[in-house]
Amino acid sequence: MSIPITLLIILAATCIVSFMAFNNRRLVDDLILWPPAIERKREYYRLVTYGLLHADPMHLLFNMMTLFFFGRIMEPIYNGALGAFGFALFYLGGLIVSILPTYLKNRRNTNYHSLGASGAVSAVLFGFILYAPWTRIWVFFIPVPAIIYAVLYVGYSIYMDRQGRDNINHSAHLWGAAYGVVFTVLANPPVLPHFLGALLRPGM
């Protein structure tokens, strides 16, 4: 399967900017989600550009591999439902919607920063799950049905978000997943009965 053009552009832009930013603190400071910069300076572009940055190469690799494997399947679906820029609209919305609750919660917190495309990537993954809930995906080299992974992923993210013991924005993962489901159903309503029916046929 060839790589759809919008997905290719997103992958390339994210990898290029992330690698440039690994050794360029000024670039990180200019693009990262820092809520006071939006609150005081109206730098709304940060609600998108934070998704071009990643903490380290492994963070980037994990997100881009997930986006590649599921995005190449989902881009034709969104483009077919919404037009040539359907997937771009979906992904952009995923970046913004997944981070908005975090931004609103921390809009005056000068010590808060967030980066990474995980929220939008979660949206792509959960959109895919609506179409193929029993497809096996590999999690740390272990094959897991997509719907089982989704349940575990949501449960883990809720638990870790409440614990607040690490520097990962689990809230963005959850909001991204929810956005992916809602957007996909609105873009293609028949996918919901398809999903519910597929849940009853795990062997198919």
Side-chain angles (χ1 to χ4, degrees), residues 2-76:
S2 61
I3 306 176
I5 185 62
T6 302
L7 176 62
L8 183 62
I9 292 172
I10 292 171
L11 290 169
T14 305
C15 288
I16 290 171
V17 174
S18 289
F19 274 108
M20 290 174 59
F22 287 149
N23 298 305
N24 188 336
R25 186 65 213 182
R26 175 67 180 276
L27 182 60
V28 173
D29 291 341
D30 287 342
L31 300 181
I32 199 169
L33 179 80
W34 184 53
I38 301 173
E39 185 76 8
R40 301 170 187 171
K41 302 179 182 179
R42 303 295 187 264
E43 295 179 353
Y44 296 109
Y45 66 85
R46 291 177 183 266
L47 293 170
V48 173
T49 57
Y50 80 96
L52 296 172
L53 304 172
H54 286 79
D56 52 52
M58 284 304 298
H59 185 205
L60 174 65
L61 178 63
F62 181 80
N63 271 342
M64 294 302 98
M65 284 186 63
T66 304
L67 180 59
F68 169 76
F69 284 117
F70 297 103
R72 61 181 180 160
I73 298 171
M74 297 309 294
E75 178 172 343

Side-chain angles (χ1 to χ4, degrees), residues 79-114:
N79 288 355
L82 301 170
F85 299 103
F87 185 74
L89 175 65
F90 171 73
Y91 188 82
L92 182 66
L95 287 174
I96 296 172
V97 171
S98 65
I99 204 65
L100 269 181
T102 298
Y103 160 66
L104 294 173
K105 181 179 178 180
N106 295 278
R107 62 184 182 276
R108 295 184 179 87
N109 184 354
T110 58
N111 296 316
Y112 186 85
H113 299 82
S114 186

